[in-house]
Amino acid sequence: MAAPMRNVDEIRDRVILGEFGVRNVHSTDFPGNYPGYDDTWDLRKFKKNFRLDVFHMDENTLEFDMVGIDAAVANAFRRILLAEVPTMAIEKVFIYNNTSIIQDEILAHRLGLIPIKADPRLFEYRNAGDEEGTEIDTIQLQLKIKCTRNPRASKDSSDPKELYKNHMVYSKDITWVPIGNQADVFADAKIGPVHGDILLAQLRPGQELDIVMHCVKGIGKDHAKFSPVATASYRLLPEITLLQTIEGEKAERLKRCFSPGVIELENIDGRRVAKVVNSRLDTCSREVLRHDDLKSLVKLGRVRDHFIFSVESTGILPPDVLVSEAINVLIAKCQKFLNEIDSTEME
Amino acid sequence: MAGAGAGAGAERKAQLETVQADGADEGCVTFVLHGEDHTLGNSLRYMVMKNPDVEFCGYSITHPSESKINFRIQTRGGIPATEILCKGLNDLSNASKHVLQTFEAQVKEFRLKQGEAME
């Protein structure tokens, strides 16, 4: 059991999960609030206390810990990941022929939501009012498909897979039409939808789709189709403190109150004693506070400056690239206003 | 010194303005940041509040349909508020740069460790 925290340290560093509510949520470590503490912003102190550990990374998900930063900045990164990292998505849909039963606008909406695998850093934003689009800001895609009857189907089959050819329109049927010098610049990059198995429409014989699409660069703030993450979220590290030694049958019940792997029972002098092994796995359901004999024996809280980030990409960019881009967006925002102040000061 | 002025250049709309302050007190200014919301507002407010010369700092979104924030700084001792804003922006920028460097180093190290573990 850790030594009990001083009251002041607890208010500064912990969010307390009580039975009827969550207390002590806001950060209060500003200069002048606590006598004896120097809370002035100091980059060196920040660099010394800041820690970042990558917990798990594969091609689409990333889980990492940021310790020593405040919620305001961590939340800014999360908001930017969701809404301000640019991607390419289908914006203009030119429908030359659509005889399917899916209405034009529904089909156009579905096409817009398809993630397009093209590195947005290699493209520019389209200028406002530009209808045509140039090779530096537009990707042109085409969907041309016609459903026909299968002459080789047996007479009494009723399975559409056998009876018809091309009756399901998937995103793999979307082809890239390079414009300008894109064929040379993106020779080895396979530009097209990230996933080929997204069902767009269903057809029957005689129905066809002849569609040309333009993709442009945009941000999630404008339309959610431009968001590069399936989701990006963070949670605070849970902290469970046992106020007394808990043994025997109570320890068993305590173990069941938390997520599996959080509390383990170890054998000390023949008695089974509860020990907090890995509080990171806990989902903070506060189940233990529902039991009258257990609720006074534990203290539940969260560490206020330890953020467990989870970023899941839609496949356009790898998740670590997304986080780097998000941090760059915040730096660019600050720089924009600094330049603005400098230019007004020089007048 | 930032007055009630617009940005330089006729075509580019000003991103940063100040609400006309009365009196000669340069320490109490309300800035209007266009095209911003809680993302920059809250993080910048935190950085400015960490400055011991600041008596008051807060931001508000005037109307949710307009993307602009009113960012108010009141300083102690007559220090110009624009300086405080500059320092806050620089602090936020430097902190983000450090986070970026640490993140990229850790990702590289994680990849190396993964590569070793697979061999």
Side-chain angles (χ1 to χ4, degrees), chain A residues 29 41 52 79 333 336, chain B residues 15 36-37 39 50 106:
Chain A
D29 51 346
W41 174 259
L52 201 150
R79 287 174 66 99
K333 272 188 205 263
K336 183 177 79 165
Chain B
Q15 295 285 81
E36 293 301 332
D37 57 1
T39 307
K50 284 291 219 179
Q106 286 295 321

Side-chain angles (χ1 to χ4, degrees), chain A residues 240-256:
Chain A
I240 302 157
T241 324
L242 300 177
L243 300 171
Q244 298 171 12
T245 357
I246 301 173
E247 35 188 42
E249 181 264 339
K250 272 200 182 162
E252 297 256 349
R253 278 194 300 136
L254 188 79
K255 182 173 164 173
R256 280 205 301 272

Side-chain angles (χ1 to χ4, degrees), chain A residues 335-347, chain B residues 1-2 6-9 12-16 82 86:
Chain A
Q335 206 52 48
K336 183 177 79 165
F337 286 105
L338 281 168
N339 294 342
E340 181 101 15
I341 294 177
D342 280 339
S343 64
T344 46
E345 279 204 48
M346 299 219 276
E347 277 176 13
Chain B
M1 228 4 72
R12 193 169 55 88
K13 237 168 34 97
Q15 295 285 81
L16 172 70
T82 326
C86 273

Side-chain angles (χ1 to χ4, degrees), chain A residues 29-31 39-41 43 46-47 50 52-57 62 64 66 69-70 72-73 76-77 79-80 84 221 320 323-324 327-328 330-331 333-338 340-341 344-345 347, chain B residues 6-8 12 14-16 33-40 42-43 45-47 49-52 82 85-86 89-100 102-104 106-107 110-111 114:
Chain A
D29 51 346
F30 296 114
D39 291 320
T40 310
W41 174 259
L43 188 62
F46 169 70
K47 286 186 181 176
F50 182 69
L52 201 150
D53 303 306
V54 176
F55 212 69
H56 168 84
M57 182 160 71
L62 169 63
F64 66 97
M66 271 214 277
I69 202 168
D70 186 70
V73 185
F77 292 144
R79 287 174 66 99
I80 294 177
E84 294 190 57
K221 241 205 251 198
D320 51 303
V323 177
S324 305
I327 305 177
N328 279 324
L330 186 60
I331 297 173
K333 272 188 205 263
C334 296
Q335 206 52 48
K336 183 177 79 165
F337 286 105
L338 281 168
E340 181 101 15
I341 294 177
T344 46
E345 279 204 48
E347 277 176 13
Chain B
R12 193 169 55 88
Q15 295 285 81
L16 172 70
L33 278 63
H34 289 274
E36 293 301 332
D37 57 1
H38 301 288
T39 307
L40 187 66
N42 197 24
S43 41
R45 176 203 61 87
Y46 171 78
M47 285 306 179
M49 282 284 282
K50 284 291 219 179
N51 191 332
T82 326
L85 183 66
C86 273
L89 287 164
N90 275 317
D91 286 341
L92 184 56
S93 182
N94 290 334
S96 306
K97 284 180 187 150
H98 176 70
V99 172
L100 182 61
T102 321
F103 176 73
E104 291 184 334
Q106 286 295 321
V107 166
F110 184 82
R111 286 216 163 100
Q114 252 189 346

Side-chain angles (χ1 to χ4, degrees), chain A residues 34-38:
Chain A
Y34 296 96
Y37 284 87
D38 178 18

Side-chain angles (χ1 to χ4, degrees), chain B:
Chain B
M1 228 4 72
E11 308 93 22
R12 193 169 55 88
K13 237 168 34 97
Q15 295 285 81
L16 172 70
E17 296 170 9
T18 53
V19 170
Q20 182 68 292
D22 46 17
D25 187 2
E26 287 172 347
C28 301
V29 180
T30 301
F31 298 96
V32 180
L33 278 63
H34 289 274
E36 293 301 332
D37 57 1
H38 301 288
T39 307
L40 187 66
N42 197 24
S43 41
L44 187 57
R45 176 203 61 87
Y46 171 78
M47 285 306 179
V48 172
M49 282 284 282
K50 284 291 219 179
N51 191 332
D53 297 320
V54 164
E55 193 179 82
F56 174 89
C57 174
Y59 78 100
S60 70
I61 299 193
T62 47
H63 192 280
S65 307
E66 291 179 340
S67 83
K68 65 178 186 177
I69 59 175
N70 276 7
F71 196 92
R72 181 160 181 88
I73 300 178
Q74 281 175 211
T75 61
R76 214 197 301 275
I79 300 173
T82 326
E83 250 178 61
I84 303 284
L85 183 66
C86 273
K87 182 169 189 300
L89 287 164
N90 275 317
D91 286 341
L92 184 56
S93 182
N94 290 334
S96 306
K97 284 180 187 150
H98 176 70
V99 172
L100 182 61
Q101 283 164 3
T102 321
F103 176 73
E104 291 184 334
Q106 286 295 321
V107 166
K108 209 155 91 168
E109 204 182 295
F110 184 82
R111 286 216 163 100
L112 280 175
K113 267 203 293 217
Q114 252 189 346
E116 280 169 18
M118 290 214 291
E119 284 161 23

Side-chain angles (χ1 to χ4, degrees), chain A residues 80-92 112 114 116 118-127 136-139 214-229 314 316-317 322 325 329:
Chain A
I80 294 177
L81 273 167
L82 284 169
E84 294 190 57
V85 177
T87 59
M88 305 290 288
I90 294 173
E91 173 94 354
K92 287 222 164 13
I114 301 172
I116 303 290
D119 192 335
R121 295 169 289 181
L122 303 172
F123 291 89
E124 308 269 327
Y125 287 100
R126 198 184 263 198
N127 294 324
I136 194 61
D137 59 35
T138 308
I139 294 174
H214 282 186
C215 300
V216 297
K217 185 168 166 175
I219 55 175
K221 241 205 251 198
D222 178 23
H223 191 289
K225 69 188 178 191
F226 292 115
S227 181
V229 290
T314 49
I316 304 176
L317 288 170
L322 286 177
E325 286 299 302
V329 167

